[in-house]
Amino acid sequence: QRIMVNHQVDKVKRECVVWAIALLSNGTVVSADSFGRVQFWDWQQGTLTESHTISTSAALSLAVSEREDSMVVGTSTGATYQLQLLPVKLGGSEKRWVRTKPFQFHTHDVRAVAHSPTALISGGLDAQLVIRPLMERVQRKGYDTVLRKFTFPHRRLVSCARKARLLLFQFSQYLELWRLGSTEETGKDGEVLPVCRMPEHLVQLKSKGPEHIYCSCVSPCGTWLGYSTASRFQLYRVRCDGDGVSLSKVPKVPKLLPPAYQLQFSADSESLFVASARGSVHVFQLLEPGGCKHLHTLQPPSGCSEAVYLLAPSADGHWLAAVSGDWAIHIYNLKCFKHHCVVPTYGCAVSALAIHPSTNNLVIAYSDQQLLEFSIPERQYTSWSRAVQSRGLHRIWLERDSPITHIAFNPKNPSHILLHDTYLLCIIDKSLPLPDDSALLMNQSALKQLPETARKRQLHAFKICKKFQ
Amino acid sequence: ISDQKPLGCWSVKHGQILTCPVVCNFETHEYIAVHDDKVLRIWKNEDINLDKAFKATLSADVYRIHSLPHGGPVVLFRGGAVRTLDVLLEAPQQEIENVISGEVIRWSGAFMEGQQPVLIFTTEKGGDFFVYVQKPKLSSVHRYKLEQQESAKPLCFTAHVTNQTVTLLCLYSNDSVYQVLIPLQQDTEEEEEEEKEEILSKSLLLNLSVSGAVLKGTSLVVLDKDHVAVLGSLAAPGKERRECLTIWNTKFQTLQTSKELPLGTSGQLWCYEEKFFLIHGKVLTVIMYKCETSSLAAAVGKLKDSQTPDVSLFLNWNTLEDEELVVSFQSQESVALKAESRMNLRSRSTAAEEQPATLSVGQRLLNLKGASTYVLETELKKLMAKAPTPDLQATIGCVVTALTDRCKRNPKYYPQNFLQEIVETHNLSYSLCPDLMSVALEKNDMHLLQMCLERFPDIPEEVTYTCLKAFLSMSEAHLQSIDVDVDSVICYIDVEMDDKEVKTEIVENGFSAEMDQDMCDTKFPKESHFRSEEESCPVGLQKAALLNAVLHSAYTETFLLPHLKNLPAQQAILFLRYLYYLYVKCSEKVNTTLPGIRSPTINQIMDWMCLLLDAQFTVMVMLPEAKELLSNLHKFVRAQVRFYSELNKIEGSLQELQRLNHLRESQTYSIEVLEII
């Protein structure tokens, strides 16, 4: 049976594209097309049974609930619509599909939709995933009944040259290198300090061709800069002399196939780690005045089919942790280029990891918001990590939607771990007790109102700041 | 049909001709065809070869086969005889009688009436048309003659059965649709009746003409009780004929919609399950349609919601209370049942415990009918003192109604304080105790009226108007003596009205003497006289408070306007004067609000002012004493408009400044101190 969808609109000479279809159990074929229509067809006769013009723009995606009494349609304007099979008369048995609720959560093309028993889920080209609960289908309010929005990518797009005070921002088609501003004054909480040196936009580096930049990195000393697209890997030398900045491309970079999934410079800026396919990590030696040579390739002893997507070198240049797509974390000894150990597998994706500069403890954040600390020299979880596991993390912490994308440490206080996600900055003070579920997790503003003496009893390990959302 | 490709195809042998439309037997899913007038073929979807299908040769020519959803196929022969297929298949060669002689069948239709198939067909003989109604299972035949129409003859028929009556619609060649009603008689005296020829009279249903253009119809289909579809060609003088499909509303005699069919049609139109089927050019076209229930509101495009639920979600409090009073003599159980069914309407959560309370209200109220005033009031107070239940509102409604009923019966009885207490302490509404305000009006209980106006959300406009009129007509002297809540006026009204010395301040907000001057007024002394008059309140404290209550009440303009037209001229002017006074008072403050509790807002004042001017426009124009007031009002409003337009400009510039400021701020790079404890 062939159904021609555009037959109805013969006046318009535009071509009609069917973007999505669904098949109902009663044999009805549902189509969503570029004229913004949702149409119901009898699959045996090929006749149109119902037609709903949902939107003036194209309907791109379609999903039907399991009970087949509701469906969700995504359109190219970013709006999603719910259609429901409702009785024509209250209490009557004749039912019709009716467009009920419009939602506008996306800026443009909603390319994917799904219909769970209690929620509508939509994903758009604006890199957002939205879960909209259907309040009439849920019995009581709770974690499941909140509108949830996820912004992608869950990756770091900013890298920092700490020694040179530079920031590298990664955009889809270009990179921007900025020098941080500075102040000479100090102040109290909440004060804005006068900036004595303004931030400086040093350079904008445009990627050639239509490909998006996949990953980028600036070396801690600020003199090397690398990025990779889906087909090319480029390395640059940055020279700051006085006011001018010059950028020179490093010639004869070893050819990589496929190019890098993640780039990471070592703490001393003398080598570059390139995450690659099949679990491998290439180690490049950086040469003065501007050269680079392939030194070694690290590979897990048991082999791996997935690419490495996260790297963390230790500050002393001794260790490198690499996470591959199968969520295994391999630790390599860089002194002898040998595989050191594997962190016990946890059934969840790693969202960020970092090695503590003084203790060489590996701190790992997982996408389910779990935090683990693994001692590399001792090849086992630390006692603090075990304590966290036995105690459990705070419920509010676990219910967050946004994964931790970056982990850093306070050079002045070894017990401080700095974490952040899209919405919050958190300092974990390992010397303080962990909060239990009855305690207020985000207690900073409450603490600020307490007198110094009373604060002591209220303190807990998670210090969260949501000021810079 | 999206892709015009046959799903199945069968053909008769060369030389054979299909002589009537093939039908599907809905019960057995078999197809039935007739070829060469007499040969019946029956086959199923999976049969490929028609030659090998079941075959039966009949003894007479078949005119048509009708397939009925629950009655099986019925065969109509050229001679007018009718057989069900089952009967025919038992003995295919059975003799078929001739019912008609010399007549030719023009059209036939079949219906189910109860469990009975009914077959109707029309015949023609020498310009006369006849209608036959046959019930094959009862083998009954009725013959009617169709009333003649001069210089026109029927082109197309269609029929439907409702309530034992066949409605036959005939499309005539004079571009009109006629309706013929044929009763489906119970077949008792048919023998005698058949002797004489019955003539069916017809009535004009629809004239197929629209603004000069005439539709030459070729076929006709009934859609619902108010709509018919006609396929035909539209002929307007001086224009080319265009074929089109039209839907007509027979109730309003209007053309509902039409669709042009430029490629031409075969003149035939079918309709099944809200879809039209027609041959347009070379393709079979399916057109979906939907007929809304025909109503005048829909016809003029004012139908609000076509899907209003049948069940009202609101409880009618009146019936509740009547029911309770009536049922008190019935046994407890049956009452409980009734109460439960009523409860269902409102909310399912009100559990069974509440019912005895509601019940007893009805009972007790009935018992108290004859009781003395004192007993009544104490009992009622007890009733209301009960803990708040979901039914409390209804209970209080019943109590108030009981009281007002008593007031009506006994003119001397009026429990003013008790009623005021009830209105004050409970959230009543007009619909809960509709008689309360009329009783209060009768008894001139201004305070109670004031309370009702301030509290009830649903006072009918007529009652609001009656209150307004009563307030305006009441003498100030009388009002001085009665107790009225003056909270809403005490804060802004000038109490020392006689003291003209204090009235030296100049009204702010653009209303200044200089501005007035340049507005073409030279009668300076007179104007100042008016000004002082305008600045003092034209009504007394009590009257102002009562009028404020009216300003507070909810209303709909359209319903209030006709009543306001009846307001006597003097009262209208007094009211307008007071509204003007309020308006000036409001404008004195920067935030244009009057101080005090429940004082009217500027919007309420303006709305009422507009409403009053609209309603009394002609009166105001004619009355000499209104002239000065109106001209003052005009000047004041004009000054205000000028002032506000200036303010608007300033607002625009300030907004722009703020926007720029904000823009700059968001761009700045900042280093902030963040203390984390």
Side-chain angles (χ1 to χ4, degrees):
Chain A
Q1 180 64 29
R2 197 176 78 172
I3 296 175
M4 297 288 286
V5 169
N6 63 339
H7 197 267
Q8 298 293 309
V9 209
D10 37 17
K11 271 183 233 156
V12 193
K13 290 290 173 221
R14 283 184 296 153
E15 197 184 6
C16 178
V17 181
V18 175
W19 285 114
I21 57 162
L23 181 63
L24 305 186
S25 57
N26 64 3
T28 302
V29 176
V30 192
S31 69
D33 62 42
S34 58
F35 290 159
R37 297 173 306 186
V38 170
Q39 295 181 313
F40 294 77
W41 304 86
D42 182 316
W43 78 300
Q44 275 186 320
Q45 307 301 321
T47 48
L48 182 64
T49 52
E50 270 182 72
S51 178
H52 299 266
T53 303
I54 297 290
S55 159
T56 50
S57 53
L60 296 178
S61 49
L62 177 74
V64 187
S65 71
E66 203 177 337
R67 279 157 57 188
E68 297 188 356
D69 57 352
S70 165
M71 60 176 73
V72 53
V73 184
T75 66
S76 62
T77 53
T80 52
Y81 298 92
Q82 191 187 4
L83 274 89
Q84 282 176 285
L85 189 63
L86 297 174
V88 176
K89 279 186 181 164
L90 199 69
S93 62
E94 191 196 350
K95 286 183 171 185
R96 288 262 171 98
W97 285 98
V98 183
R99 200 197 87 177
T100 50
K101 296 179 212 115
F103 303 110
Q104 180 87 45
F105 295 119
H106 300 275
T107 58
H108 59 289
D109 299 20
V110 179
R111 280 292 172 89
V113 286
H115 199 311
S116 86
T118 57
L120 305 179
I121 304 158
S122 57
L125 282 190
D126 57 354
Q128 286 213 83
L129 179 72
V130 177
I131 303 178
R132 167 62 164 75
L134 295 168
M135 296 314 280
E136 71 270 21
R137 306 262 178 119
V138 289
Q139 297 303 314
R140 58 191 179 82
K141 289 193 172 180
Y143 181 73
D144 294 334
T145 60
V146 187
L147 173 74
R148 313 190 88 80
K149 276 189 184 187
F150 305 90
T151 309
F152 292 94
H154 289 158
R155 283 173 76 95
R156 265 164 77 190
L157 299 175
V158 182
S159 58
C160 173
R162 272 177 57 199
K163 289 170 198 157
R165 296 175 61 80
L166 300 180
L167 284 183
L168 179 72
F169 296 94
Q170 177 187 323
F171 297 89
S172 61
Q173 303 277 2
Y174 58 91
L175 300 170
E176 276 187 11
L177 192 64
W178 286 74
R179 176 172 286 132
L180 286 167
S182 59
T183 184
E184 285 164 346
E185 289 177 42
T186 54
K188 286 200 207 83
D189 181 45
E191 275 183 12
V192 178
L193 305 177
V195 179
C196 67
R197 184 175 166 181
M198 289 306 284
E200 214 180 325
H201 183 193
L202 297 177
V203 75
Q204 188 186 53
L205 178 62
K206 281 192 178 128
S207 149
K208 284 190 189 107
E211 285 179 342
H212 286 195
I213 295 172
Y214 194 80
C215 58
S216 63
C217 194
V218 63
S219 68
C221 65
T223 60
W224 299 90
L225 188 158
Y227 77 89
S228 177
T229 68
S231 65
R232 286 174 302 123
F233 161 63
Q234 308 274 18
L235 188 63
Y236 289 86
R237 193 76 216 257
V238 186
R239 284 195 187 81
C240 300
D241 28 324
D243 290 344
V245 178
S246 69
L247 213 60
S248 54
K249 195 170 158 185
V250 176
K252 288 179 200 154
V253 175
K255 282 275 175 286
L256 292 172
L257 256 176
Y261 290 92
Q262 175 79 322
L263 297 169
Q264 189 69 51
F265 289 93
S266 65
D268 57 9
S269 300
E270 281 179 6
S271 42
L272 169 68
F273 306 108
V274 180
S276 192
R278 265 178 262 113
S280 57
V281 179
H282 303 291
V283 184
F284 290 173
Q285 192 183 7
L286 302 172
L287 307 166
E288 291 298 338
C292 150
K293 123 183 154 189
H294 184 264
L295 207 64
H296 198 85
T297 297
L298 302 166
Q299 249 168 340
S302 52
C304 173
S305 58
E306 303 280 337
V308 172
Y309 70 94
L310 278 177
L311 292 170
S314 68
D316 58 9
H318 203 111
W319 308 105
L320 177 75
V323 188
S324 49
D326 57 359
W327 306 338
I329 306 170
H330 293 278
I331 294 163
Y332 300 97
N333 185 330
L334 293 174
K335 294 292 173 215
C336 51
F337 293 118
K338 261 186 168 168
H339 187 261
H340 176 67
C341 67
V342 186
V343 177
T345 315
Y346 181 77
C348 212
V350 180
S351 65
L353 80 171
I355 297 172
H356 196 281
S358 53
T359 59
N360 276 339
N361 285 341
L362 178 68
V363 178
I364 312 155
Y366 289 94
S367 57
D368 66 348
Q369 311 299 350
Q370 284 297 340
L371 294 169
L372 292 174
E373 191 187 39
F374 182 82
S375 167
I376 294 173
E378 291 167 31
R379 304 185 199 204
Q380 62 175 2
Y381 287 119
T382 63
S383 56
W384 181 79
S385 183
R386 286 177 210 279
V388 170
Q389 286 311 301
S390 64
R391 181 75 181 266
L393 289 162
H394 196 280
R395 187 175 54 83
I396 303 289
W397 176 268
L398 293 175
E399 283 180 358
R400 289 179 314 116
D401 288 329
S402 179
I404 297 292
T405 51
H406 190 198
I407 301 173
F409 302 94
N410 182 354
K412 288 182 183 154
N413 188 342
S415 67
H416 282 181
I417 305 170
L418 282 71
L419 315 152
H420 79 80
D421 65 14
T422 318
Y423 304 108
L424 60 80
L425 164 72
C426 175
I427 298 176
I428 296 179
D429 189 340
K430 282 164 44 181
S431 64
L432 289 174
L434 290 164
D436 55 24
D437 275 358
S438 62
L440 187 65
L441 181 69
M442 317 222 181
N443 62 351
Q444 284 297 308
S445 58
L447 284 176
K448 276 172 193 167
Q449 283 158 19
L450 289 177
E452 294 273 353
T453 46
R455 284 179 186 175
K456 260 247 152 80
R457 273 181 291 121
Q458 301 293 325
L459 290 179
H460 63 67
F462 283 72
K463 301 165 182 304
I464 295 171
C465 165
K466 294 190 82 169
K467 194 176 172 189
F468 308 105
Q469 287 200 21
Chain B
I1 292 174
S2 59
D3 196 12
Q4 305 219 349
K5 182 181 71 183
L7 298 175
C9 178
W10 296 271
S11 55
V12 291
K13 263 202 233 156
H14 186 71
Q16 294 176 334
I17 305 163
L18 284 173
T19 49
C20 88
V22 176
V23 295
C24 178
N25 183 345
F26 300 109
E27 272 142 32
T28 59
H29 292 284
E30 286 170 329
Y31 300 110
I32 305 148
V34 178
H35 65 79
D36 302 315
D37 295 323
K38 283 193 174 80
V39 188
L40 214 60
R41 290 282 188 178
I42 301 175
W43 76 100
K44 288 205 166 194
N45 219 345
E46 52 269 24
D47 297 331
I48 300 159
N49 200 338
L50 198 59
D51 252 1
K52 289 177 184 155
F54 173 85
K55 176 179 171 181
T57 308
L58 307 176
S59 65
D61 288 356
V62 174
Y63 174 75
R64 188 146 296 184
I65 304 174
H66 289 278
S67 181
L68 289 162
H70 297 290
V74 180
V75 181
L76 172 64
F77 291 91
R78 286 256 164 85
V82 175
R83 296 281 189 281
T84 61
L85 189 66
D86 299 344
V87 171
L88 209 54
L89 290 179
E90 275 168 25
Q93 282 295 319
Q94 64 184 271
E95 199 178 322
I96 306 295
E97 75 280 3
N98 262 340
V99 177
I100 55 176
S101 56
E103 298 164 22
V104 185
I105 301 180
R106 290 288 175 222
W107 168 86
S108 68
F111 314 93
M112 290 302 286
E113 169 63 25
Q115 298 298 311
Q116 297 265 349
V118 177
L119 207 119
I120 299 165
F121 59 92
T122 56
T123 61
E124 187 190 358
K125 185 187 184 183
D128 285 336
F129 281 82
F130 303 94
V131 181
Y132 288 81
V133 179
Q134 287 213 35
K135 294 181 184 170
K137 288 213 174 142
L138 300 172
S139 48
S140 78
V141 187
H142 284 278
R143 181 175 187 260
Y144 305 91
K145 188 171 182 228
L146 207 57
E147 187 192 350
Q148 278 215 321
Q149 174 73 28
E150 269 179 50
S151 68
K153 58 179 206 156
L155 300 172
C156 176
F157 298 90
T158 183
H160 57 97
V161 177
T162 37
N163 302 335
Q164 296 271 315
T165 308
V166 179
T167 309
L168 181 71
L169 298 187
C170 320
L171 177 66
Y172 270 69
S173 54
N174 61 353
D175 312 315
S176 302
V177 177
Y178 291 89
Q179 178 176 271
V180 180
L181 297 177
I182 311 162
L184 279 178
Q185 295 144 333
Q186 301 305 316
D187 306 276
T188 45
E189 302 147 285
E190 54 180 298
E191 306 305 319
E192 297 98 295
E193 270 188 80
E194 222 166 330
E195 301 303 311
K196 57 180 190 299
E197 190 174 63
E198 269 190 86
I199 294 184
L200 290 169
S201 58
K202 59 185 192 298
S203 55
L204 180 67
L205 184 72
L206 186 68
N207 212 329
L208 300 175
S209 67
V210 152
S211 54
V214 175
L215 184 80
K216 295 274 173 204
T218 53
S219 46
L220 168 78
V221 162
V222 179
L223 307 181
D224 65 11
K225 69 182 199 330
D226 298 323
H227 295 90
V228 296
V230 180
L231 182 71
S233 55
L234 203 58
K239 276 190 182 171
E240 226 178 295
R241 291 168 77 95
R242 292 164 295 151
E243 281 206 69
C244 56
L245 172 65
T246 52
I247 296 180
W248 299 76
N249 187 323
T250 55
K251 204 172 186 177
F252 301 117
Q253 300 280 314
T254 51
L255 174 64
Q256 194 99 351
T257 182
S258 77
K259 185 181 171 69
E260 270 195 48
L261 303 161
L263 302 179
T265 68
S266 65
Q268 288 162 294
L269 174 68
W270 298 271
C271 171
Y272 302 101
E273 295 172 335
E274 306 208 328
K275 291 184 194 83
F276 291 120
F277 295 79
L278 54 93
I279 293 166
H280 181 212
K282 283 180 178 167
V283 296
L284 177 63
T285 302
V286 186
I287 301 167
M288 289 200 279
Y289 71 89
K290 186 169 173 61
C291 286
E292 301 288 346
T293 317
S294 164
S295 70
L296 191 57
V300 298
K302 292 244 168 160
L303 190 66
K304 276 212 174 117
D305 187 10
S306 56
Q307 290 193 342
T308 34
D310 292 343
V311 190
S312 166
L313 292 173
F314 297 96
L315 190 63
N316 186 342
W317 299 102
N318 283 327
T319 58
L320 170 72
E321 138 219 324
D322 288 347
E323 237 175 88
E324 270 164 357
L325 289 172
V326 170
V327 297
S328 58
F329 293 121
Q330 297 172 2
S331 75
Q332 284 281 64
E333 276 169 41
S334 69
V335 176
L337 273 174
K338 253 197 173 165
E340 196 172 272
S341 67
R342 258 186 281 110
M343 304 290 274
N344 284 345
L345 265 176
R346 196 146 18 101
S347 78
R348 278 167 207 286
S349 60
T350 50
E353 304 100 75
E354 256 84 70
Q355 286 166 23
T358 343
L359 254 185
S360 58
V361 176
Q363 278 182 326
R364 278 201 233 174
L365 287 178
L366 205 73
N367 296 341
L368 287 170
K369 256 193 171 161
S372 72
T373 312
Y374 177 75
V375 175
L376 175 81
E377 287 186 16
T378 42
E379 277 299 309
L380 291 182
K381 274 179 191 165
K382 264 193 233 164
L383 250 178
M384 292 194 304
K386 283 226 174 67
T389 63
D391 283 358
L392 188 65
Q393 293 292 310
T395 311
I396 292 166
C398 295
V399 169
V400 175
T401 311
L403 285 170
T404 49
D405 281 350
R406 183 174 272 244
C407 292
K408 278 194 239 164
R409 265 182 281 120
N410 179 2
K412 279 179 197 161
Y413 174 70
Y414 187 65
Q416 187 181 24
N417 290 336
F418 188 38
L419 284 173
Q420 285 182 1
E421 194 187 311
I422 295 175
V423 173
E424 201 160 26
T425 48
H426 299 285
N427 290 324
L428 285 183
S429 61
Y430 182 85
S431 35
L432 211 52
C433 44
D435 290 335
L436 180 63
M437 287 186 78
S438 58
V439 169
L441 268 167
E442 219 170 273
K443 305 278 179 190
N444 264 334
D445 186 350
M446 295 299 144
H447 193 188
L448 186 66
L449 284 175
Q450 184 192 22
M451 286 162 76
C452 291
L453 282 168
E454 280 166 356
R455 285 175 174 80
F456 289 3
D458 55 347
I459 301 172
E461 282 74 2
E462 192 184 354
V463 178
T464 312
Y465 164 72
T466 320
C467 291
L468 173 69
K469 200 175 151 197
F471 295 160
L472 286 169
S473 60
M474 199 140 286
S475 76
E476 295 283 353
H478 175 69
L479 278 169
Q480 297 258 319
S481 64
I482 60 170
D483 175 37
V484 168
D485 180 9
V486 290
D487 279 358
S488 66
V489 280
I490 201 75
C491 290
Y492 63 83
I493 215 157
D494 316 291
V495 190
E496 51 284 76
M497 266 177 285
D498 310 332
D499 190 4
K500 300 272 183 199
E501 299 300 301
V502 278
K503 302 284 171 295
T504 47
E505 58 169 327
I506 285 174
V507 180
E508 285 173 53
N509 279 4
F511 185 68
S512 65
E514 295 94 298
M515 243 175 190
D516 267 10
Q517 263 177 330
D518 67 47
M519 271 171 229
C520 75
D521 211 340
T522 44
K523 293 179 275 179
F524 214 73
K526 204 176 179 192
E527 196 209 327
S528 65
H529 157 72
F530 258 95
R531 174 83 82 74
S532 60
E533 194 179 275
E534 242 37 83
E535 278 180 17
S536 65
C537 185
V539 294
L541 204 61
Q542 283 81 7
K543 195 175 268 195
L546 291 174
L547 291 176
N548 283 356
V550 173
L551 297 186
H552 253 292
S553 65
Y555 64 89
T556 305
E557 233 168 79
T558 11
F559 299 133
L560 189 60
L561 207 61
H563 296 298
L564 270 184
K565 286 198 167 114
N566 302 331
L567 197 66
Q570 289 309 320
Q571 294 184 10
I573 288 179
L574 181 63
F575 190 35
L576 185 63
R577 199 158 268 167
Y578 177 62
L579 288 170
Y580 178 35
Y581 168 79
L582 284 178
Y583 183 32
V584 173
K585 275 282 164 196
C586 267
S587 309
E588 283 174 13
K589 299 280 183 314
V590 181
N591 55 358
T592 59
T593 48
L594 291 170
I597 313 151
R598 292 208 201 95
S599 49
T601 68
I602 181 112
N603 284 337
Q604 282 169 339
I605 297 165
M606 304 253 255
D607 288 347
W608 272 94
M609 212 185 264
C610 294
L611 210 57
L612 191 63
L613 287 171
D614 276 349
Q616 298 275 337
F617 186 74
T618 41
V619 180
M620 295 279 180
V621 169
M622 301 301 286
L623 274 185
E625 57 261 57
K627 215 170 181 180
E628 291 290 344
L629 175 65
L630 287 180
S631 107
N632 279 343
L633 187 61
H634 181 212
K635 268 181 247 159
F636 185 72
V637 170
R638 205 158 60 177
Q640 289 261 297
V641 168
R642 282 191 189 184
F643 176 66
Y644 280 108
S645 74
E646 288 302 315
L647 276 182
N648 253 335
K649 284 183 208 160
I650 297 174
E651 192 198 12
S653 345
L654 285 173
Q655 248 174 5
E656 187 59 20
L657 271 177
Q658 198 173 12
R659 199 182 64 82
L660 286 174
N661 230 1
H662 188 75
L663 217 69
R664 208 173 302 144
E665 229 165 60
S666 66
Q667 277 177 350
T668 36
Y669 173 90
S670 70
I671 299 176
E672 284 177 43
V673 181
L674 177 66
E675 184 193 9
I676 292 182
I677 305 161

